[in-house]
Amino acid sequence: MNKLTSQHRFFLRVKASVNFRLTRLSESILLKLYTFFPQLRSYFYIPLLASTTSALAKEKPSQISNLEVIIPPESFQAKYQTKHLPSDPTRSWFHLDQEITVPHKLVCQIPHGRIFGNCGVIMTADHTLLSDLSLDFNLVSEGLDSSHHYIFQLAKLPPPTFLDANVACCVTPAGGNNYFHWMIDVLPKLYLLEQSSISWEKIDYWVFNTLQFSFCQETLSRLRIPQNRIVEISGETHLQAENLICTSPPSITNDGRVPISRWIINFLRDQFLLNSCSDAFRVDPPKRIWISRMDSSRRSISNEQEVIDFLEPFGFISVKLSSLSVLEQATLFNQSEVVIAPHGAGLTNLVFCKPGTKVIEIFLPPDVNGRWSGIGDYCYLSNQLNLSYFYMVSDELPEFEYEDNWNRHRMHIDLQKLLALLKLAGVISSPY
């Protein structure tokens, strides 16, 4: 019996391997055929071309209806202030002094529009990719144009499931599994929809990334999104709606990263920052906090307990943000005077801080090519809110099985270096 079971398993593995190779071969053939017969793409639901929403609305009004510009384009001079120890490398991103232009933010309706995948690819009924609504982080990081969008690299899509309804799309890359992208790239879509002429009562379904964490349900409940009308989308989900309602990406665009806009900050503070800290905390929150990563497998601190013991005499309390609600996190950061944290999504809560709060962000060192593992959003955010921003660079302890994945590398914090930075920031007096 065991022998037969073993043989059966062997044949299943062989069958799976053959099917996989045949699938890859057929996809390869399709991709080659597309170069000679591009119209074939439409039979397999791949878009034929890319366009921006505004351009398509002018060229083919029947494909885009009720386009509304909610936030006009804005330009401003970006000046970012930061300090660090002379021994640490200078980060060029943190010394910008240039004019930034943020494109307009719109809401539109797409008759028989389609959504694909957990990145929220948006396509029209005539197989046009709306490039300004369809984020692809590879385009952002590599500076590529929409012709390199990942949707054009696929051989085919599954047939769409049709929803005879008004469907609002609130999907974005990493939107359901990352606190930063949820707060900055997903929830502000609801603000744009609320500011439009569309009545929320007429929206039949709300489409989001798979809601993996409690902060997703908590925030949607607070923003009055009915749970029974939420549709969760995953990697291979393909939906077509009678009327698809879409917004611009609130923050990141395919043209690159820009500072988090003031309207996003104001929206989050209005929704989640309570007037009284007693509403979220039974006791007054601590004034000096260390954001722990003991419950994270990414960018963990090898000597974190040693760091906590070192900071405790200076009045710091270690906090695990995963154990707090969004309202509690908002109150915690709003009442804090000093925040020290390794780079991570928890620093999104800087949106709730008061001006003058001191922030120390800890990074892994840059690689041999000078690339940094962490984005610069929290420096930008600090400067938007007039926070005093500092950073330091840790020692690095690579996990060799994840050698090329920065998120899997560990940090080791030099306590004497941290002490020097605390003095530089004025958190403690120099003679200590």
Side-chain angles (χ1 to χ4, degrees):
M1 190 67 173
N2 290 336
K3 185 177 181 180
L4 291 175
T5 301
S6 175
Q7 290 177 341
H8 182 64
R9 289 176 178 170
F10 171 76
F11 284 120
L12 285 177
R13 287 197 297 271
V14 171
K15 181 181 178 180
S17 177
V18 170
N19 287 340
F20 174 78
R21 292 174 184 274
L22 287 174
T23 299
R24 294 301 298 270
L25 178 62
S26 65
E27 289 177 349
S28 176
I29 292 172
L30 271 178
L31 287 170
K32 288 181 179 179
L33 283 174
Y34 290 159
T35 61
F36 300 102
F37 307 102
Q39 290 297 326
L40 276 177
R41 292 175 182 270
S42 63
Y43 290 100
F44 296 97
Y45 309 105
I46 301 294
L48 299 173
L49 52 90
S51 175
T52 64
T53 308
S54 298
L56 190 64
K58 293 178 181 178
E59 183 184 346
K60 297 181 178 180
S62 62
Q63 298 297 314
I64 306 291
S65 65
N66 300 328
L67 188 152
E68 301 176 66
V69 175
I70 308 300
I71 308 288
E74 57 177 331
S75 296
F76 56 91
Q77 198 70 20
K79 294 182 179 180
Y80 301 109
Q81 304 293 323
T82 183
K83 293 182 180 179
H84 61 90
L85 296 172
S87 58
D88 274 341
T90 298
R91 189 165 189 182
S92 59
W93 275 14
F94 293 172
H95 295 274
L96 295 177
D97 184 0
Q98 61 184 15
E99 185 165 319
I100 300 291
T101 299
V102 180
H104 65 244
K105 305 302 175 185
L106 59 81
V107 172
C108 67
Q109 300 182 48
I110 308 169
H112 287 196
R114 292 186 284 137
I115 319 167
F116 174 73
N118 52 15
C119 289
V121 178
I122 305 298
M123 295 166 281
T124 65
D126 71 343
H127 308 290
T128 299
L129 170 74
L130 294 178
S131 58
D132 56 321
L133 307 187
S134 306
L135 278 180
D136 180 351
F137 281 173
N138 286 329
L139 301 185
V140 180
S141 60
E142 302 297 330
L144 302 172
D145 62 36
S146 58
S147 66
H148 294 86
H149 196 286
Y150 88 89
I151 197 72
F152 293 118
Q153 316 308 317
L154 302 181
K156 59 183 178 180
L157 303 184
T161 299
F162 184 74
L163 296 176
D164 186 13
N166 294 315
V167 177
C169 177
C170 299
V171 181
T172 196
N177 61 10
N178 181 279
Y179 186 74
F180 173 85
H181 291 296
W182 179 260
M183 298 292 284
I184 302 300
D185 296 320
V186 175
L187 293 187
K189 286 176 175 277
L190 300 177
Y191 172 83
L192 296 175
L193 289 168
E194 189 175 46
Q195 298 302 306
S196 75
S197 62
I198 299 168
S199 170
W200 282 33
E201 287 71 26
K202 293 184 178 180
I203 297 177
D204 301 300
Y205 296 104
W206 303 79
V207 181
F208 292 92
N209 301 81
T210 302
L211 308 179
Q212 298 187 32
F213 296 100
S214 60
F215 60 75
C216 299
Q217 288 84 355
E218 177 195 350
T219 51
L220 291 182
S221 175
R222 185 163 182 81
L223 291 166
R224 303 176 305 282
I225 303 300
Q227 293 291 319
N228 61 348
R229 294 188 183 181
I230 291 175
V231 176
E232 298 182 35
I233 198 167
S234 60
E236 293 299 312
T237 306
H238 190 188
L239 300 177
Q240 185 171 32
E242 174 67 24
N243 184 40
L244 182 63
I245 304 166
C246 296
T247 80
S248 301
S251 182
I252 302 171
T253 73
N254 283 332
D255 292 327
R257 292 183 176 274
V258 294
I260 298 167
S261 296
R262 174 60 67 169
W263 69 267
I264 296 176
I265 295 171
N266 291 341
F267 165 69
L268 294 174
R269 291 175 72 92
D270 288 345
Q271 294 297 325
F272 303 108
L273 191 55
L274 302 179
N275 292 327
S276 172
C277 66
S278 61
D279 291 335
F281 274 86
R282 294 182 181 178
V283 297
D284 288 340
K287 301 297 184 183
R288 296 182 169 194
I289 57 173
W290 159 264
I291 305 303
S292 173
R293 292 192 68 83
M294 282 188 177
D295 55 352
S296 176
S297 61
R298 299 183 174 193
R299 298 184 302 279
S300 59
I301 311 299
S302 63
N303 62 331
E304 180 163 353
Q305 188 56 57
E306 187 179 11
V307 173
I308 293 170
D309 293 341
F310 169 77
L311 290 173
E312 190 173 315
F314 304 124
F316 283 87
I317 302 296
S318 177
V319 179
K320 292 181 181 178
L321 296 180
S322 59
S323 66
L324 303 177
S325 69
V326 175
L327 294 181
E328 288 172 331
Q329 292 180 58
T331 301
L332 175 69
F333 275 71
N334 181 255
Q335 297 298 309
S336 294
E337 296 173 353
V338 186
V339 177
I340 305 179
H343 172 76
L347 282 171
T348 308
N349 291 300
L350 292 177
V351 298
F352 304 117
C353 285
K354 293 175 181 175
T357 302
K358 294 178 179 178
V359 179
I360 296 176
E361 184 174 8
I362 303 173
F363 292 103
L364 284 162
D367 69 7
V368 293
N369 297 313
R371 296 176 302 176
W372 291 72
S373 63
I375 55 179
D377 290 289
Y378 305 126
C379 174
Y380 302 161
L381 187 57
S382 295
N383 282 272
Q384 286 270 36
L385 290 165
N386 296 316
L387 314 182
S388 296
Y389 179 89
F390 301 80
Y391 73 86
M392 70 170 284
V393 178
S394 73
D395 297 325
E396 184 177 12
L397 298 173
E399 300 292 350
F400 293 106
E401 65 270 28
Y402 300 107
E403 198 169 285
D404 296 326
N405 188 335
W406 266 312
N407 279 331
R408 298 293 184 183
H409 288 214
R410 302 180 71 200
M411 301 184 190
H412 184 276
I413 296 177
D414 184 323
L415 298 184
Q416 291 306 307
K417 190 174 177 180
L418 179 57
L419 177 64
L421 188 59
L422 291 174
K423 292 177 180 178
L424 177 67
V427 175
I428 60 175
S429 56
S430 295
Y432 179 86

